Amino acid sequence: MELPHLSSPPSRRLVSELPESRPLESRLLPMASSPQYDGREDARTLKVADNVQVEKPEGSESTSDLDPLVVDWDGPEDPTNPKNWSIKQKWAVTLVVSSYAFLSPMSSSMIAPASNQVAQDFGVTDKTVIALFTSIYVLAYALGPLTLAPLCELYGRARVLQLSNAFYFAWNLGCGFAQSPAQLIIFRFLSGVGGSAAPSIGGGVLGDVWKAEQRGQAMAIYTLAPQLGPCIGPICGAWIAARSSWRWVFWSTSIACIAIQAVGLFYLKETFAPVLLEKKAKHIRQTIESEQGHVREVRTIYDNADREWKNLMTKALIRPFALSLQEPIIQVFAAFLSFVYGTFFIFLTTIPSIFEGVYKEPVGIAGLHYLALGIGSVLMSQVNARFLDASYKRLCARNGGVGKPEFRLPSLIPGSIMLPIGLFIVGWTARADVHWIAPDIGIALIGGGIMPIFQGIQTYVIDAFPLYAASALAALAFFRSIAGFCFPLFAPAMYSSLGYGKGDTILACIAIAIGCPAPYLFWVYGERIRNASRYAKK
């Protein structure tokens, strides 16, 4: 195949037509140290190699072989673009990523009902250390994404997800062989680092394959997995601990990890655009070298200094905190989501104490009350999934077909109401003289309230920070994981001093103070805040 010699002013990037929805910054890549472009916009598109296009300005017939070729998708309908994949392929990727995102959080809480058994084996009496057996895993969720996010930008999402899952498997298996509390805590932390990939990177995978108006249902399933996993995990852990050893809590999840990993090897395809386009660019380089006998610079539209390892690490470590310091949107939602996530983990660790301590139920039966949390989460997740997409489309239609991130906010309203109501119910009905179904109703409302809050904030942030979604989500993940680690550590002392009624009332009042004003304030002032933002979509 003979490659054409292309002529283009060096200051003008050679690129095929891009969808107009892509931000201008990602469609134009100025060349350094080049003459001024003459401003002509007319161009003819030429096929350079398989599924790759470049532009040739009108009136140009040749160019220097030193001019770079810049690779992009083969038009807006390019079938290799993950956003143009079939619905079947998109759902296959979504379900695999959701499976990863289900297994890891399930491991985070599965040991909770068996933690007293672990304490007896190791002779631990300190309640804070016992809570640490569960919560240390979540601390890794705060630190892991800071390294894994730049790795996925360099090597792709699929590879990082699969290798991280293997890393999780190795250390989770090791937890079952731990011989001391220190070993168990260290192994749990390392397995959490590997397990943090799916909850932190998975949202980017969905953003790669689904368009904004289709993203609601996919996000509902994906965000359901990290919430449903911690509900199902303790149920399984309770019966495993009752019928066998706590070590089988870790060995059973390792067996499940092997099964999910095997499915992922077949169905989890790479979705990250820069990595996919780099493969095309590599093919062109090899073709040019073999047919013309010399090396020519070929780059993708994403190639610039920002994609170097040093800069990626700097961005990954600094930008989430820069967003947290400079963006009111991130500050308010990080505070709210951190509180919600911390409250969620308080209940994951205290449900056994309520039903074993107050209602004197055996560990296996007490574990079944996690079903209330799961039922509330599942029902509201499915209801909110339909509401997210339907309300977004309806509000877009009213706005002349133009979407806004604020159109995601209505889903936060029912969650902000259900969460404090559930906290009040659990706190004041968790008594031996009140039937156990009453606190279960409150727990179900807590699970149901958490889901629309989690889904609404996630989708709002993705829409508001399209170019920096990974960093914005990393900021949220960091602070909510810190809360998920810390809240269970002080919960035993709080409930011991105040009781369930006053303790949960304090949590309910905080939920009202943060959660109820947030949707209204950002509905009214959100666009103004985004317009003044350095990072948000204008």
Side-chain angles (χ1 to χ4, degrees):
M1 178 181 66
E2 182 179 356
L3 294 175
H5 291 282
L6 305 176
S7 176
S8 175
S11 63
R12 177 75 171 174
R13 182 178 58 76
L14 302 175
V15 13
S16 64
E17 285 190 83
L18 301 178
E20 287 301 317
S21 60
R22 181 176 296 180
L24 182 62
E25 294 82 17
S26 67
R27 293 190 285 124
L28 295 179
L29 180 63
M31 304 293 182
S33 303
S34 59
Q36 182 68 32
Y37 180 56
D38 64 9
R40 289 178 297 173
E41 295 296 330
D42 295 332
R44 288 182 289 130
T45 301
L46 293 177
K47 181 87 71 173
V48 174
D50 294 340
N51 294 324
V52 181
Q53 291 181 333
V54 296
E55 285 184 354
K56 177 180 177 183
E58 292 290 351
S60 299
E61 300 298 334
S62 62
T63 189
S64 169
D65 288 344
L66 297 178
D67 289 344
L69 298 178
V70 181
V71 179
D72 192 11
W73 300 117
D74 188 16
E77 304 300 325
D78 186 350
T80 61
N81 184 341
K83 281 191 169 60
N84 296 324
W85 287 356
S86 68
I87 295 296
K88 182 178 179 181
Q89 287 177 295
K90 292 181 180 182
W91 276 114
V93 170
T94 300
L95 292 176
V96 170
V97 172
S98 299
S99 298
Y100 285 150
F102 170 80
L103 178 64
S104 176
M106 184 174 75
S107 298
S108 70
S109 62
M110 198 168 176
I111 193 62
S115 58
N116 288 331
Q117 191 182 103
V118 177
Q120 290 176 1
D121 279 5
F122 291 146
V124 177
T125 57
D126 190 326
K127 290 185 178 180
T128 301
V129 175
I130 295 173
L132 196 61
F133 291 149
T134 301
S135 64
I136 188 64
Y137 189 94
V138 187
L139 178 61
Y141 275 29
L143 304 177
L146 298 179
T147 302
L148 296 174
L151 284 176
C152 82
E153 289 200 30
L154 284 175
Y155 303 111
R157 306 197 198 276
R159 187 181 303 179
V160 171
L161 279 170
Q162 290 164 348
L163 291 177
S164 297
N165 200 46
F167 189 84
Y168 155 81
F169 166 78
W171 292 107
N172 189 68
L173 185 66
C175 287
F177 295 98
Q179 300 300 312
S180 69
Q183 286 183 9
L184 180 60
I185 290 171
I186 292 171
F187 292 171
R188 283 275 289 168
F189 177 80
L190 292 173
S191 65
V193 171
S196 68
S200 59
I201 298 174
V205 175
L206 269 59
D208 291 340
V209 301
W210 295 100
K211 298 176 182 178
E213 63 273 14
Q214 302 172 321
R215 200 173 290 150
Q217 289 192 358
M219 283 297 294
I221 292 178
Y222 168 71
T223 54
L224 173 64
Q227 305 302 321
L228 191 58
C231 301
I232 294 178
I235 299 172
C236 300
W239 285 100
I240 290 172
R243 303 289 179 177
S244 182
S245 166
W246 62 266
R247 298 182 185 275
W248 271 102
V249 170
F250 300 105
W251 294 337
S252 61
T253 49
S254 298
I255 293 170
C257 177
I258 293 174
I260 294 174
Q261 183 79 332
V263 174
L265 291 175
F266 289 98
Y267 292 102
L268 182 59
K269 306 300 181 183
E270 184 54 59
T271 63
F272 195 44
V275 172
L276 294 173
L277 290 177
E278 178 56 35
K279 291 180 181 179
K280 290 185 177 183
K282 183 178 179 181
H283 172 68
I284 294 174
R285 292 187 198 102
Q286 293 173 343
T287 303
I288 292 175
E289 187 173 357
S290 62
E291 295 191 3
Q292 297 187 0
H294 63 83
V295 178
R296 182 174 179 182
E297 182 181 1
V298 180
R299 64 179 67 173
T300 73
I301 60 170
Y302 298 99
D303 285 341
N304 52 52
D306 287 341
R307 280 187 51 77
E308 295 178 1
W309 169 253
K310 179 180 178 181
N311 293 331
L312 285 174
M313 285 300 297
T314 301
K315 285 194 302 181
L317 294 172
I318 294 177
R319 184 177 286 163
F321 300 103
L323 287 168
S324 303
L325 293 173
Q326 300 174 13
E327 298 292 333
I329 295 171
I330 299 298
Q331 291 167 2
V332 174
F333 283 145
F336 188 30
L337 198 58
S338 296
F339 169 77
V340 169
Y341 204 67
T343 302
F344 181 67
F345 268 87
I346 283 179
F347 276 86
L348 290 178
T349 55
T350 57
I351 283 176
S353 66
I354 292 175
F355 294 99
E356 292 177 37
V358 176
Y359 291 96
K360 308 301 180 183
E361 296 178 349
V363 61
I365 299 300
L368 292 176
H369 293 278
Y370 284 97
L371 283 173
L373 200 60
I375 289 171
S377 298
V378 171
L379 289 179
M380 277 305 297
S381 173
Q382 296 310 303
V383 170
N384 194 55
R386 288 158 177 77
F387 178 72
L388 262 177
D389 284 340
S391 64
Y392 186 83
K393 292 176 182 177
R394 184 170 61 253
L395 292 170
C396 284
R398 292 181 183 177
N399 196 43
V402 179
K404 294 181 180 180
E406 286 73 30
F407 295 165
R408 305 290 189 181
L409 294 175
S411 69
L412 270 65
I413 296 173
S416 300
I417 296 171
M418 292 172 66
L419 179 60
I421 291 175
L423 288 168
F424 281 125
I425 291 175
V426 175
W428 294 105
T429 61
R431 305 197 312 266
D433 60 331
V434 178
H435 194 276
W436 55 262
I437 195 64
D440 270 358
I441 292 172
I443 291 170
L445 288 173
I446 290 170
I450 286 172
M451 285 312 301
I453 293 171
F454 197 82
Q455 292 170 349
I457 290 176
Q458 290 272 87
T459 50
Y460 179 91
V461 167
I462 290 173
D463 290 350
F465 298 90
L467 292 179
Y468 307 104
S471 295
L473 292 175
L476 296 180
F478 178 84
F479 289 107
R480 77 167 186 257
S481 298
I482 293 294
F485 166 70
C486 294
F487 275 39
L489 299 182
F490 71 73
M494 179 183 73
Y495 288 129
S496 177
S497 300
L498 302 176
Y500 292 112
K502 293 181 180 178
D504 285 344
T505 297
I506 292 173
L507 295 177
C509 291
I510 296 173
I512 293 170
I514 300 176
C516 292
Y520 172 77
L521 291 175
F522 280 104
W523 180 266
V524 175
Y525 301 108
E527 186 171 6
R528 187 185 306 175
I529 294 172
R530 285 190 293 105
N531 289 335
S533 168
R534 175 183 174 185
Y535 297 102
K537 178 182 178 182
K538 304 298 189 290

